[in-house]
Amino acid sequence: MRLIKLTLALWFACGQIVNAQQMEQGVIVSGEGRVSVAPDMATITLGVRETADTAKEAMSKVTESVAQILPRLNELGVAASDQQTSNFFLRPVYDNRLKDTGTPPSVVAYEAGNSVTVTVRDLTQLGVMLDAVIDVGANDFNGLEFGVQDDSDALAAARALAVADARSRATQIADAAEISLGSVLRITENSFGPQPLGKQMSSMRAMEDAIATGEVDVQAQVTITYAIAP
């Protein structure tokens, strides 16, 4: 029994040494590739926010405006699948001026809101759409993000750049260490689709005046393990 235990212990120890040696062998590098492309779509969150003396009145105002916004989006050719309610709320508005005296705050009004996230697939219509929804009551804007509908070509280019970057780094390390690179043992990837330009502005009109599509970045990152040639 002791012999079996000793044999197992030696086998386990040897296995750890082999694994450690295998882990130590090789050159491990990371590379990054980035491609900038012009966006061809945008996602915006817009809606209505109203305050009134009663909850019913606040909700009525919001409902009335949203009932005009959605049909207007349909008229502009925005598909139903590109419209999604993203936030709906009703809450009391408190008067906190007397809170330091220990008096409980009182409800002075009610605030209601409804937001819709819209995907715009024709950027030439973005300004027209914003004009239209503002005219029918939209007064709340929570974000604008540009993107790319099909990023496959950009990702392929970014991956190629990332692999080339990793290879360059590995070559530099090998030259400095006076070793030669062998075959590729492992490649792992971590890629990112279009990284949008986000905008936060206080008013719909200010946002409309400040729109500049610019470019979006598509990124790829790879980690490559090269063997060390004999």
Side-chain angles (χ1 to χ4, degrees):
M1 179 64 68
R2 288 183 179 179
L3 180 60
I4 294 175
K5 289 183 178 179
L6 179 60
T7 302
L8 289 174
L10 289 174
W11 176 83
F12 181 73
C14 290
Q16 287 186 316
I17 293 173
V18 170
N19 287 336
Q21 289 177 339
Q22 289 177 343
M23 291 177 63
E24 291 172 357
Q25 292 178 353
V27 177
I28 304 174
V29 291
S30 295
E32 180 177 324
R34 185 190 305 265
V35 175
S36 297
V37 295
D40 60 5
M41 64 174 288
T43 302
I44 62 175
T45 302
L46 54 88
V48 181
R49 185 188 299 259
E50 297 288 354
T51 303
D53 293 336
T54 66
K56 183 177 180 180
E57 185 181 358
M59 283 302 306
S60 178
K61 288 182 176 180
V62 169
T63 301
E64 182 180 350
S65 294
V66 172
Q68 298 182 65
I69 291 174
L70 297 179
R72 194 72 184 95
L73 292 173
N74 294 333
E75 292 173 6
L76 293 170
V78 179
S81 58
D82 288 334
Q83 306 173 37
Q84 181 178 16
T85 298
S86 54
N87 188 25
F88 182 85
F89 67 87
L90 172 65
R91 58 189 173 221
V93 178
Y94 293 96
D95 182 357
N96 294 311
R97 289 178 296 179
L98 299 178
K99 67 178 181 179
D100 294 336
T101 65
T103 303
S106 59
V107 176
V108 296
Y110 289 87
E111 183 182 38
N114 192 351
S115 297
V116 180
T117 298
V118 182
T119 300
V120 182
R121 301 187 185 278
D122 181 0
L123 292 183
T124 63
Q125 296 297 310
L126 182 57
V128 174
M129 190 202 71
L130 293 175
D131 268 338
V133 296
I134 292 171
D135 289 341
V136 295
N139 61 7
D140 191 28
F141 171 71
N142 294 309
L144 167 63
E145 295 183 347
F146 291 107
V148 180
Q149 298 183 56
D150 183 2
D151 62 358
S152 56
D153 290 342
L155 269 176
R159 289 183 181 113
L161 291 173
V163 171
D165 182 41
R167 175 73 185 185
S168 176
R169 293 169 185 254
T171 300
Q172 292 174 23
I173 293 172
D175 290 344
E178 297 183 349
I179 59 176
S180 297
L181 295 178
S183 59
V184 174
L185 300 178
R186 180 190 297 269
I187 299 180
T188 58
E189 180 206 12
N190 185 20
S191 296
F192 305 91
Q195 302 300 297
L197 170 66
K199 293 179 181 289
Q200 297 291 334
M201 299 182 188
S202 59
S203 73
M204 297 286 287
R205 293 291 184 190
M207 179 274 294
E208 182 184 355
D209 293 339
I211 289 176
T213 58
E215 293 183 325
V216 293
D217 288 340
V218 177
Q219 302 176 48
Q221 295 176 347
V222 297
T223 299
I224 303 179
T225 302
Y226 288 94
I228 298 175

